[in-house]
Amino acid sequence: MQYRKMKKTGDELSALGFGCMRLPEKSGKIDEERAIAQIRFAVDNGVNYLDTAFQYHMGASEPLLGKALADGYREKVKVATKLPHWIVRTREDMDKILDVQLSNLKTDHIDYYLIHNVAGSSWKKLCELGIIDFLDKAKADGRIINAGFSSHCSKDEFINIVDGYDWAFCQIQYNFLDIKNQAGTEGLKYAASKGLGVIIMEPLRGGMLAKNIPSAVQSVWNEAGIKKTPAEWALRWIWDHPEVTVVLSGMNEEEHIRENIRIAGEAYPNSLTPEELGLVKKVEDTYRKLMKVGCTGCRYCMPCPAGVNIPVCFEMYNNKYLMDGAEKRGMLSMGNPDFIYLMQAGGILEGKKPAYASQCKNCGKCVKACPQHLPIPQYLNDVSKEFEKPTLKLLTKIIKPFMALERWRTMRRAGKKT
């Protein structure tokens, strides 16, 4: 296993991290025996960074990881989990939620604690509620060792959050199709320049860069002198970046775990040749030609006068048609593009006003600003037809009370502990 140093902490972390968002399931629940065996196998073979979150697997991921880390495994690893800021109403809520998470994980400290999926407006709200005081005190009393944040926000919002606190690390979505999307390459390099360790999520874009590869894309991969799977090329491309500390993989197949461990032991920074980098660039270009919308996520079209989150709308639209088996995933699945559209364009997690494609007023401002000269209003109409079916409003009515119930259950459990 290759290890990379977290600059501010000195920790030597495995280049491959085990993501606990997509653990193996049986009869709709986590297959505990298999999941624990997979996690322990990864740890036995050098993986020492394990990532979970409060709501993964409908709240079952943290407790499962707590069980997996019994029998001496807790001492071998660094555990990362996340504060679900969308259920935080007061400064006291932060402590209560953290205490529940410590109980879930059967530990007295979180090695790497993240504010989950934070963006500009939620960061501002959290600051007003006292998040900095919470992080400082939780670190001082040892419940948190290192503080960080995960984010899917724009580059500018990301940089503002990086500068907003003395973070040890951050977590971003990054792969060869997201070099300009979200934090992108500029955000990656900026965070690293500030001394932050950078954890990478969605290196395979939910699996779409690894499975059911379009024939046009596979033809390009076949041009390589040394044959590798599409997944290996995608992972090696990320590990080629010296700014990257850990790449998370939501591994739930034993074969994939073994393969990823092998690749992580070989894929060192700056190890790809110019020819190999050119091959990946050619694959990127081929994917973009296959996308429904040729949006690069540059955000020149923003802000939209009508409040539409144009880049998110197009990202979800493209993902739905490039993601293998998207139509087979449950509507409330974290990997379902329809659900992600609801949560992000619907502004549910951020507490914002909706930013749906259907809000477009066809003013034309975005068309003038787009470097790709895309007919954005026309594409937004397509997005609206694809995602905004009658079930959308129904689901919105269901999700909000569900999140309120989730918060109530958490606070009730925290109240019983005190």
Side-chain angles (χ1 to χ4, degrees):
M1 175 59 66
Q2 173 193 172
Y3 295 89
R4 299 190 179 188
K5 183 174 289 187
M6 184 71 72
K7 291 181 181 179
K8 290 191 176 183
T9 72
D11 287 340
E12 296 284 344
L13 302 179
S14 54
L16 175 66
F18 198 111
C20 298
M21 187 175 82
R22 300 184 178 103
L23 297 170
E25 295 186 338
K26 182 170 61 177
S27 302
K29 296 182 180 180
I30 297 174
D31 184 339
E32 288 200 2
E33 182 178 354
R34 188 178 175 202
I36 290 173
Q38 289 180 349
I39 291 169
R40 291 186 174 184
F41 175 85
V43 174
D44 290 340
N45 285 274
V47 173
N48 69 0
Y49 188 90
L50 307 179
D51 172 270
T52 184
F54 184 80
Q55 84 282 13
Y56 288 174
H57 285 277
M58 302 297 286
S61 180
E62 286 182 344
L64 181 282
L65 184 55
K67 293 179 181 179
L69 295 181
D71 304 322
Y73 278 86
R74 177 67 182 92
E75 290 71 33
K76 300 178 181 180
V77 302
K78 303 297 182 183
V79 172
T81 193
K82 310 173 186 75
L83 174 72
H85 66 80
W86 50 91
I87 65 173
V88 170
R89 303 268 181 84
T90 68
R91 165 67 178 80
E92 291 72 24
D93 287 350
M94 302 173 194
D95 287 301
K96 291 178 180 179
I97 293 168
L98 173 57
D99 288 344
V100 169
Q101 293 178 290
L102 291 168
S103 176
N104 286 342
L105 290 160
K106 303 183 189 306
T107 187
D108 62 358
H109 69 280
I110 307 297
D111 302 288
Y112 288 86
Y113 195 68
L114 303 94
I115 311 303
H116 198 173
N117 194 20
V118 69
S121 60
S122 53
W123 174 240
K124 180 180 179 181
K125 172 191 171 185
L126 287 167
C127 287
E128 293 171 351
L129 290 175
I131 189 70
I132 291 176
D133 178 69
F134 162 70
L135 293 174
D136 286 345
K137 289 183 177 176
K139 287 192 294 182
D141 64 31
R143 288 177 298 158
I144 294 173
I145 307 302
N146 304 293
F149 69 96
S150 69
S151 180
H152 290 279
C153 64
S154 69
K155 178 195 68 178
D156 291 341
E157 288 184 338
F158 174 79
I159 288 174
N160 181 60
I161 298 169
V162 168
D163 292 339
Y165 184 70
D166 183 22
W167 307 105
F169 70 115
C170 63
Q171 184 170 308
I172 63 172
Q173 177 173 316
Y174 193 62
N175 52 70
F176 64 73
L177 286 184
D178 285 322
I179 54 178
K180 293 183 179 179
N181 187 37
Q182 300 183 24
T185 302
E186 286 188 49
L188 169 71
K189 292 181 178 294
Y190 184 81
S193 74
K194 295 293 184 176
L196 276 67
V198 183
I199 312 297
I200 302 300
M201 57 182 160
E202 299 296 351
L204 303 178
R205 265 203 170 194
M208 62 160 282
L209 299 181
K211 298 183 294 184
N212 284 6
I213 306 302
S215 58
V217 172
Q218 188 59 55
S219 294
V220 179
W221 287 136
N222 291 341
E223 296 175 11
I226 299 176
K227 306 304 179 188
K228 299 180 177 68
T229 65
E232 180 166 354
W233 280 116
L235 291 171
R236 283 180 177 271
W237 181 87
I238 298 172
W239 276 316
D240 197 63
H241 292 73
E243 300 87 357
V244 170
T245 310
V246 175
V247 175
L248 295 174
S249 179
M251 304 173 283
N252 54 25
E253 296 287 343
E254 288 75 9
E255 179 184 352
H256 297 163
I257 297 171
R258 289 191 292 270
E259 180 73 357
N260 288 353
I261 289 172
R262 177 190 66 78
I263 300 167
E266 302 171 358
Y268 286 85
N270 301 313
S271 60
L272 292 182
T273 67
E275 292 75 19
E276 289 172 328
L277 291 171
L279 181 74
V280 176
K281 181 63 172 67
K282 188 173 180 180
V283 167
E284 176 203 339
D285 292 341
T286 304
Y287 265 116
R288 297 204 183 282
K289 290 177 182 177
L290 295 173
M291 289 179 174
K292 288 282 186 179
V293 182
C295 174
T296 63
C298 71
R299 300 185 69 85
Y300 284 110
C301 58
M302 297 294 285
C304 166
V308 180
N309 192 330
I310 299 171
V312 163
C313 288
F314 290 162
E315 181 183 359
M316 295 304 102
Y317 191 45
N318 283 330
N319 281 355
K320 185 161 187 176
Y321 284 90
L322 291 176
M323 187 181 292
D324 171 51
E327 73 287 348
K328 298 178 183 178
R329 304 186 186 199
M331 182 58 205
L332 299 182
S333 165
M334 294 291 290
N336 187 302
D338 292 86
F339 180 68
I340 300 173
Y341 179 82
L342 169 67
M343 298 300 282
Q344 294 198 18
I348 291 177
L349 291 185
E350 285 292 294
K352 293 180 178 179
K353 294 180 180 179
Y356 294 128
S358 58
Q359 295 170 210
C360 173
K361 302 298 184 184
N362 201 19
C363 69
K365 182 180 178 181
C366 54
V367 178
K368 296 177 183 177
C370 178
Q372 312 300 320
H373 309 294
L374 299 175
I376 293 175
Q378 176 185 323
Y379 284 137
L380 287 174
N381 184 54
D382 294 338
V383 173
S384 177
K385 290 179 180 178
E386 179 65 41
F387 289 109
E388 298 181 37
K389 299 177 175 67
T391 53
L392 183 77
K393 292 183 179 179
L394 176 62
L395 280 168
T396 301
K397 293 180 180 179
I398 294 173
I399 291 293
K400 288 183 177 179
F402 175 81
M403 293 179 68
L405 177 61
E406 178 187 36
R407 179 184 183 278
W408 177 82
R409 292 174 61 185
T410 302
M411 297 309 157
R412 184 170 180 267
R413 182 178 171 190
K416 287 183 178 181
K417 285 174 55 57
T418 56

